Amino acid sequence: MTAPANAGGPPAVMLLGPTASGKTAAALALARWLPLEVISVDSALVYRGLDIGTAKPDAAERAAVPHHLIDILEPTEAYSAARFAADASRLIDEIRARGRLPLLVGGTLLYARALVDGLHELPQADPALRARLEAQADAKGWPALHRRLAALDPVTAARLAPGDAQRIQRALEIIETTGEPLSTLLARQARARGLAGVPVISMEPADRAGLHARIAQRTAAMFDAGLLDEVAALRARPDLHAGLPAMRCVGYRQAWEHLDGVYDAATMCERALAATRQLAKRQLTWLRAMPARQVVDCLSPDAATRVRHLIEELLR
């Protein structure tokens, strides 16, 4: 095992990629060579009880390599990009003080961008307003609220899918709170300073079909491993409901709807697979907007070795 990064090296390294790209396996392989600690960049891994459907590192993997920002919240709680950026910045300092390399691993690109580029200052959520918007969505559907948003803020609406409940809700909430469209606020504000000097290594497929095959295998494996039972246990909790951000995660939403009798098991699996592919597509779009990233073909048999070589260059 080589020595950790010196004080002149980067403050941390990001290892990003779409779902099923092999990021966790690569990180564990890197840990056999370099003293590092993993900071999860994943909006689903923060939740306790969401294990199978999030491909959460198991107890043995977490015992072998220290992992952070995993199992820190109940599914009833909310997490944000701003909170992630603050948590990750603190952890980077703590890990470096221990003489180890902070390796940020995941696929929630909003979190990654928040840490590196900084965030805009936006009003805090208004629980009463949020509840009112959710009630309207229950009555009319999120596509109807998306049409409302398109009339009020066409720039923001154009980049959101009609079913993107969380972001449609937030955009409408900001309009009602501030009297201005989100796009106007973002254009006017300067970003808060982010954490400069964090290189990004991105595990991306040279062949999209190859990634889709991996996604299909992993989705099937999750259901075989008991994802439906995991969701049934969550659904039985009186404090959880389908509208929570945690329960909107890919796989969990489809399993919950199946248990509600919305569709059969075969349709559940088809919808979960389609949603995972759409997630990967969005993740790749975000990654391609990061021109400074260094790309490794995640389908290559030696992907982890290539990542290692890139990190060796960064630490010299």
Side-chain angles (χ1 to χ4, degrees), residues 43-45 47 50 53-54 244-254:
S43 60
L45 293 186
Y47 294 115
L50 277 68
T54 60
L244 289 167
M247 297 300 100
R248 292 174 182 165
C249 294
V250 171
Y252 289 86
R253 172 185 289 186
Q254 292 76 25

Side-chain angles (χ1 to χ4, degrees), residues 176-199:
E176 293 203 31
T177 301
T178 68
E180 293 187 280
L182 173 61
S183 57
T184 300
L185 291 176
L186 297 185
R188 188 171 65 237
Q189 290 182 6
R191 284 187 181 272
R193 186 176 180 182
L195 181 66
V198 177

Side-chain angles (χ1 to χ4, degrees), residues 7 9 20 49 59 66 81 105 114 128 145 155 206 222 224 228 237-238 255 278 294 297 308:
V105 182
L145 270 67
V155 174
M222 286 176 174
D224 289 343
L228 195 58
R237 287 177 47 172
Q278 285 298 313
Q294 299 186 70
D297 179 11
R308 171 182 167 174

Side-chain angles (χ1 to χ4, degrees), residues 101-171:
L101 175 70
L103 183 66
L104 295 114
V105 182
T108 301
L109 285 308
L110 176 63
Y111 286 10
R113 291 283 296 272
L115 179 65
V116 175
D117 296 339
L119 289 167
H120 292 90
E121 294 182 6
L122 296 172
Q124 292 187 343
D126 180 336
L129 175 55
R130 182 158 291 185
R132 178 159 57 83
L133 289 169
E134 287 181 352
Q136 292 172 3
D138 288 342
K140 301 178 181 179
W142 285 107
L145 270 67
H146 183 266
R147 290 192 292 272
R148 183 196 303 174
L149 178 62
L152 298 170
D153 185 356
V155 174
T156 299
R159 62 181 177 82
L160 301 181
D164 192 344
Q166 193 168 358
R167 292 181 177 84
I168 294 169
Q169 182 184 60
R170 180 62 172 150

Side-chain angles (χ1 to χ4, degrees), residues 213-298:
R214 279 194 183 181
I215 289 171
Q217 291 172 354
R218 190 163 84 163
T219 301
M222 286 176 174
F223 282 108
D224 289 343
L227 176 57
L228 195 58
D229 290 337
E230 181 173 277
V231 177
L234 292 166
R235 184 169 170 269
R237 287 177 47 172
D239 59 336
L240 300 184
H241 59 84
L244 289 167
M247 297 300 100
R248 292 174 182 165
C249 294
V250 171
Y252 289 86
R253 172 185 289 186
Q254 292 76 25
W256 191 297
E257 290 173 344
H258 164 63
L259 292 170
D260 277 347
V262 177
Y263 36 70
D264 60 22
T267 303
M268 170 190 68
C269 294
E270 291 170 3
R271 284 176 175 260
L273 178 58
T276 308
R277 287 176 174 170
Q278 285 298 313
L279 171 61
K281 181 179 179 180
R282 292 194 300 271
Q283 290 169 318
L284 288 167
T285 298
W286 274 79
L287 287 166
R288 287 164 185 159
M290 297 180 172
R293 77 196 190 284
Q294 299 186 70
V295 178
V296 170
D297 179 11
C298 67

Side-chain angles (χ1 to χ4, degrees), residues 1-25:
M1 184 176 286
T2 66
N6 59 38
V13 174
M14 276 195 178
L15 180 60
L16 306 179
T19 185
S21 58
K23 301 179 293 296
T24 297

